[in-house]
Amino acid sequence: MNVQKLTQKGGPKPVHVQIRDVILDQIRSGVLRPGDRLPSEVEIADRFGVSRMTANKSILALVQDGWLVREKGRGTFVASSPGIVEGQVCRVVVPVDSIGAIGDVYFGTLYWTLQERLQEKSVRIDLRPFHSAPLGESGEAPPAGYIVIDPPESSLPLFADLRLGGRPVVLLGCSWNYPGLSFVDSDNLLGGLMAANHLADLGHRELMFLGGCPSDSNTRERLRGFRIALRARGIDLPERRVVIMDEAWGIDPGTEALLESVLLGPGRPTAVFAAGPKIAFALLGIVHRLGLRCPEDISIVAYDDPDFIRLAYPPMTTVRQPLNQMAFLAADILLEALRLGSTDSRRHILEPEFVLRGTTTVAPSS
């Protein structure tokens, strides 16, 4: 086993991670082959010029990740199928409580698809909400890797640190352009463009954007795409017609009162882009309650296409995200990172689909 005598202490990665990476490179390049015996921890510590404890930490990480196996009385060997351990645990982190995530249309679809894909490779999921420390409880073995669904921007430095510690991290359902972190998302900007162009093609000039979670990358990109398309068509979207609530789970009472005054007032919008399915469903209920007709008086385009929104009356026109494809791709990126021992970033943005149904029609004549 050829090793480097010196490592960069104080560099971007801890010394034990640097040693781990050197050994990994030799496994991946074929210098160390399945079944090869590694030098003892004392020999590794001497060759790298580190303590035995540091060498032990590097070896334990490789054993835990499935690259090495230890045989009592014989030593440490390269695993026969390096990189994937049966029963290995990956952590899925969500911004809501765990039970709520499983039952939610958006998070639940992503979670169950992730579970299906990872279980095919005998990898187990540990589901945690953000308010539970992603590093786990004191003394708890860290997971092999992380898939983080729709994280707040403020959490990204934490997950970047986990990546530097040798744990692959994949962000899912967001497109934060943070150095070193992989992500998989749908093209939210394109979705906003699709909604705006469809409504403009129908002759709508008085439009409104209704969204939730102002700090969310998805909301920002959907609004940005909506504005870009309208501006290109010479259509103004005044700030008073942009309403972004704190949450995306429906319409809060204050916003409901605002919408009532806007929809019944002079110069009301003739079309609304609702940047979430629950928001769109609640908006449709308000329209009906006010005695307005959809789509004759108000056209609505929703972002996302869960089953319940297809059962609305009239059936909802939507921009559909490829949620299952997104989750499968995120799982495959994580599995490949585990197999290769890599934390290199990969970024994928998938195209949404416009689904025309019954909540949009030509703009009413003035």
Side-chain angles (χ1 to χ4, degrees):
M1 173 182 172
N2 297 318
V3 297
Q4 300 168 1
K5 177 70 175 178
L6 297 176
T7 54
Q8 296 180 351
K9 296 183 179 180
K13 292 184 178 181
V15 172
H16 75 276
V17 175
Q18 295 180 50
I19 297 172
R20 169 189 176 274
D21 289 348
V22 170
I23 299 173
L24 266 180
D25 286 343
Q26 297 202 4
I27 296 174
R28 291 163 61 186
S29 66
V31 174
L32 288 171
R33 299 179 178 276
D36 283 354
R37 184 180 183 278
L38 262 69
S40 69
E41 288 179 3
V42 173
E43 292 175 293
I44 291 174
D46 180 62
R47 295 184 191 185
F48 278 100
V50 298
S51 69
R52 182 177 177 180
M53 183 179 296
T54 299
N56 175 264
K57 196 171 183 180
S58 304
I59 298 303
L60 283 179
L62 290 165
V63 170
Q64 190 173 61
D65 290 348
W67 293 95
L68 302 176
V69 292
R70 281 184 157 171
E71 297 184 15
K72 190 173 181 179
R74 295 192 62 220
T76 303
F77 299 83
V78 179
S80 57
S81 298
I84 301 294
V85 178
E86 184 172 349
Q88 201 167 32
V89 176
C90 290
R91 182 157 297 163
V92 175
V93 186
V94 292
V96 293
D97 70 89
S98 301
I99 295 176
I102 294 174
D104 178 73
V105 172
Y106 176 77
F107 294 110
T109 299
L110 295 176
Y111 171 78
W112 291 114
T113 305
L114 287 171
Q115 185 179 76
E116 176 186 350
R117 182 58 174 160
L118 293 173
Q119 282 187 341
E120 289 177 1
K121 303 298 182 181
S122 300
V123 174
R124 295 189 295 112
I125 280 183
D126 171 27
L127 181 64
R128 297 287 180 94
F130 277 118
H131 59 71
S132 174
L135 288 171
E137 304 298 332
S138 177
E140 181 182 6
Y146 296 82
I147 294 178
V148 191
I149 301 178
D150 195 17
E153 189 174 14
S154 60
S155 71
L156 300 184
L158 169 62
F159 292 107
D161 287 345
L162 292 174
R163 172 188 165 271
L164 287 176
R167 303 292 168 185
V169 177
V170 183
L171 309 181
L172 175 57
C174 65
S175 47
W176 296 117
N177 193 19
Y178 197 89
L181 292 178
S182 298
F183 68 73
V184 177
D185 199 8
S186 70
D187 194 334
N188 290 285
L189 186 141
L190 177 59
L193 290 168
M194 288 176 167
N197 283 326
H198 172 67
L199 294 171
D201 287 344
L202 292 173
H204 292 278
R205 295 297 180 269
E206 301 295 331
L207 296 107
M208 185 174 190
F209 178 91
L210 183 59
C213 302
S215 63
D216 186 84
S217 67
N218 297 334
T219 298
R220 294 180 187 180
E221 288 298 286
R222 291 167 196 173
L223 175 57
R224 189 162 75 93
F226 195 61
R227 277 181 160 149
I228 288 172
L230 294 181
R231 192 178 302 120
R233 308 286 286 260
I235 301 172
D236 182 42
L237 181 66
E239 286 301 322
R240 69 178 186 278
R241 295 273 180 84
V242 176
V243 178
I244 302 179
M245 300 169 288
D246 290 336
E247 300 291 342
W249 308 108
I251 295 177
D252 59 73
T255 303
E256 183 172 345
L258 172 65
L259 289 173
E260 289 179 3
S261 65
V262 170
L263 295 178
L264 294 177
R268 63 173 175 80
T270 61
V272 181
F273 176 33
K278 294 180 180 179
I279 294 173
F281 199 82
L283 173 63
L284 184 59
I286 293 172
V287 168
H288 289 324
R289 183 168 54 77
L290 294 177
L292 298 171
R293 299 168 301 164
C294 178
E296 293 84 357
D297 298 318
I298 301 286
S299 287
I300 301 174
V301 176
Y303 205 98
D304 274 349
D305 192 49
D307 289 340
F308 76 83
I309 209 165
R310 303 175 204 172
L311 301 176
Y313 181 78
M316 190 75 70
T317 296
T318 67
V319 178
R320 177 190 293 158
Q321 295 190 84
L323 295 180
N324 291 304
Q325 186 180 354
M326 288 162 55
F328 265 89
L329 182 54
D332 285 347
I333 291 173
L334 184 67
L335 289 168
E336 182 179 14
L338 294 174
R339 183 176 62 83
L340 298 177
S342 170
T343 57
D344 294 342
S345 63
R346 292 176 55 188
R347 297 173 178 184
H348 296 270
I349 296 180
L350 307 182
E351 187 170 322
E353 175 188 1
F354 192 83
V355 182
L356 178 61
R357 295 197 183 98
T359 55
T360 56
T361 191
V362 294
S365 56
S366 56

